Amino acid sequence: MVGAAFKKQPADVPTPKERPSEFFGKYVFTKQKMKKYLPREAYKKMLDVIDNGTPLDRATADIVADGMKKWAMSLGVTHCTHWFQPLTDTTAEKHDAFLEYDGKGGMIEDFAGKSLVQQEPDASSFPSGGIRSTFEARGYSAWDPTSPVFVIGDTLMIPTVFISYTGEALDYKTPLLKALRAVNEAATEVARYFYPEVKKVISNLGWEQEYFLIDEGLYSARPDLLLTGRTLMGHSSAKDQQMDDHYFGSIPERVAAFMKHLEIEALELGIPCKTRHNEVAPNQFELAPIFEETNLAVDHNMLLMSLMKKVARKHGFRCLLHEKPFDGVNGSGKHNNWSLSTDTGVLLHAPGKDNLSNLRFVTFVVETLMAVYRHNGLLKASIMSATNAHRLGGNEAPPAIVSSFLGRQLTQVLDHLENTTDETIAIRGKSGLRLDIPSVPELLIDDTDRNRTSPFAFTGNRFEFRAPGSEANCASAMIALNAAVAEALVDFKRRVDKLIEGGKNKHSAIISVLRDDIKTCKPIRFDGNGYSEEWVEEAARRGLDVETSCPIIFDRYLDEASIQMFESLNVMSRKELEARNEIKWETYTKKIQIEARIFGDLSINHIIPQVVGYQTKLAENVAALKAILPEEQFKTVAASNLALISEIAERVKTIEEGCQALTDARRVANKITSAREMAIAYHDTVEPLMEQIRYHIDKLEAKVDDEVWTLPKYREMLFIR
């Protein structure tokens, strides 16, 4: 009924005259632009800061700021802002003009090093988990030189960390940088067993951003989408994804125009967009970049999500990043492809050429598995949210149990090493496959298949952490993963060195520790169907975390093992972890609270009036039939209408009673003083009521006259016209 009215033509798309490689990073202060705008010594110092983590002195900062200002003003920039990532899962910015008094009654354009390096944003209204009181407003943002500044519109955007007046992290970037430093130091020490010349280890991230598009008019007609990002009610469409015809299908014209526009703007901002395609569900799509250093990749993903929403509106769409905007079809994830590399190569790459390289490969795979095994509950907590909880465990999303898929060959390698005294490691490379079609060239077949139900799968030269949700900040998962791997590598080196000190040669010492670790972390390895009930039981027997309640899963951050890990690596303190959990519980509660209030409003003010109005029309029809038809004929003709009137009455009564119960449950939960217990109450009592009521609303949608149903339906929203 509603859909056709919102059909739009593709918007104008910018058409750069240059090739993408020529306008890539156009609005980014890259090393090439530094070389052009900075004096030689300042440029060399900046390279040292970026590449080696050397501290930046204030004198150099003044020189760099002046060069940045000249470059930015050549692009028409008039303002600057510190761009940071508070614990709201969004980004924040406060714009200041390049203006100062000139002392003569006029103004001059000015941008000093102090403005580049540090600002004092008001911290009182950002989540702090009790670290700061509302009246304690001071906080600091500080420039992160390892992530280049960029220009959006008339503003110079400066990536920064964000900390409290007392020094605690109030953002995602601060602990991420600390976790990356920890894994660099730990992995470098282990890598030198194999390659003494290694200077540093880099954590790499390649995210895959899934998203939905919906016509803006339809979006605006759904208050639940507008205010929560997902449909709180809606009957399934007769056709959605069951034919598998959308996946990798031809991209609709309007969507292709949006994608082209998005890619141009993203490339200009230095985001290396590589892949675009239709995803499984109708109206669902994916964008993926080339791998980058993890800190930069996180910044680029946060920037891209903002860009997607802006560009979508120019094309008459709204971009939905919620993990489950439509019930019954695929949700959207953000697969985090993670790896480690050095200045000499990729540590998780298995060349299969010599025993030393293969031993290096197995070492880093096994120690990653040790990290995931020891902290599987924490890793699950790092990706858990009120929104992602709707996605996990169905429609190709991994289950809420963290395990790792390795594939046949790697499993055989580890089993062989565990069960024999053989110290050689043989790894086969890709094999050839010829089809019985002469014109088709030989295919190179990977040594392992893929497992779509595995939350943490090895996929060649990287691990794919499939559990993060589409609207999440990748930093959350990357902080936990990199810290856990750093801890495992530190422990590995300690034990190997102890054996070497006791007289074992290096190779045998490494093999010995690896054998112990292969046995220890074996419970985390699972190559089967992660959706089966048998796996849930088996995972529990293996000692893996099988909890499904989102608020309780957050407890894993406060396990002594988690606190010990974060504190020993100087990533986060106990106080910071406790504060972040307060924020997680409060955020969970607020999201369910908002959903419940909107759900009640839609039920009482949209659904019931329309349904009762339709019921009245049916009753009038029945009365008219009774007046003109003989009794026996009336009973036959009016039977279906009478049954529907009765069904509507029963379902409306159930909905009204359910909405009252929903309100009562919220009132009870809101009186709980503990943030954790309140979140649990919302999970256990409030959220289930919405699902129960929704069942009856969705049944009524399928019964009531289409013309009187005010909300756009799934069949209208899920197919772009």
Side-chain angles (χ1 to χ4, degrees), residues 412-457:
Q412 289 172 349
V413 169
L414 298 190
D415 288 346
H416 176 78
L417 196 57
E418 175 191 355
N419 298 315
T420 70
T421 58
D422 187 2
E423 294 191 351
T424 61
I425 301 173
I427 299 177
R428 184 182 69 250
K430 292 186 178 183
S431 58
L433 175 66
R434 284 199 173 276
L435 302 179
D436 192 19
I437 306 172
S439 59
V440 176
E442 181 182 44
L443 303 178
L444 291 178
I445 304 301
D446 286 286
D447 57 25
T448 182
D449 201 350
R450 307 187 88 186
N451 187 326
R452 307 289 290 181
T453 70
S454 176
F456 198 82

Side-chain angles (χ1 to χ4, degrees), residues 84 94 118-128 131-141 162-170:
F84 56 97
K94 179 187 73 169
Q118 178 180 322
Q119 282 189 353
E120 185 198 332
D122 186 339
S124 62
S125 294
F126 289 109
S128 72
I131 285 178
R132 303 291 286 160
S133 299
T134 304
F135 63 86
E136 296 175 310
R138 198 182 297 275
Y140 294 109
S141 56
F162 180 45
I163 62 171
S164 73
Y165 177 69
T166 46
E168 293 89 1
L170 295 177

Side-chain angles (χ1 to χ4, degrees), residues 397-574:
I401 302 171
V402 174
S403 64
S404 185
F405 168 83
L406 299 181
R408 183 176 61 253
Q409 186 188 184
L410 187 49
T411 296
Q412 289 172 349
V413 169
L414 298 190
D415 288 346
H416 176 78
L417 196 57
E418 175 191 355
N419 298 315
T420 70
T421 58
D422 187 2
E423 294 191 351
T424 61
I425 301 173
I427 299 177
R428 184 182 69 250
K430 292 186 178 183
S431 58
L433 175 66
R434 284 199 173 276
L435 302 179
D436 192 19
I437 306 172
S439 59
V440 176
E442 181 182 44
L443 303 178
L444 291 178
I445 304 301
D446 286 286
D447 57 25
T448 182
D449 201 350
R450 307 187 88 186
N451 187 326
R452 307 289 290 181
T453 70
S454 176
F456 198 82
F458 185 73
T459 55
N461 60 359
R462 63 193 183 274
F463 281 95
E464 183 180 18
F465 195 10
R466 295 175 53 83
S470 51
E471 70 175 355
N473 187 327
C474 296
S476 180
M478 289 297 100
I479 291 165
L481 177 58
N482 283 285
V485 171
E487 180 194 54
L489 290 169
V490 167
D491 183 54
F492 172 81
K493 186 174 187 302
R494 177 188 60 78
R495 289 178 290 145
V496 169
D497 287 350
K498 186 175 181 180
L499 291 178
I500 293 172
E501 291 167 4
K504 272 201 173 186
N505 67 62
K506 181 176 67 175
H507 184 88
S508 296
I510 291 172
I511 291 288
S512 178
V513 174
L514 283 178
R515 282 201 174 106
D516 289 341
D517 287 353
I518 289 169
K519 293 174 184 176
T520 300
C521 69
K522 203 166 187 176
I524 203 66
R525 290 158 46 192
F526 178 67
D527 290 1
N529 178 11
Y531 290 163
S532 69
E533 285 299 320
E534 292 79 8
W535 167 234
V536 177
E537 297 171 4
E538 172 64 20
R541 283 195 294 271
R542 294 185 183 192
L544 303 183
D545 191 309
V546 297
E547 179 61 60
T548 58
S549 168
C550 183
I552 295 175
I553 288 170
F554 292 149
D555 288 346
R556 301 289 71 76
Y557 272 100
L558 300 181
D559 287 346
E560 283 304 315
S562 299
I563 295 171
Q564 167 64 24
M565 177 190 73
F566 284 124
E567 289 195 326
S568 67
L569 297 171
N570 194 31
V571 174
M572 284 186 282
S573 67
R574 181 186 293 268

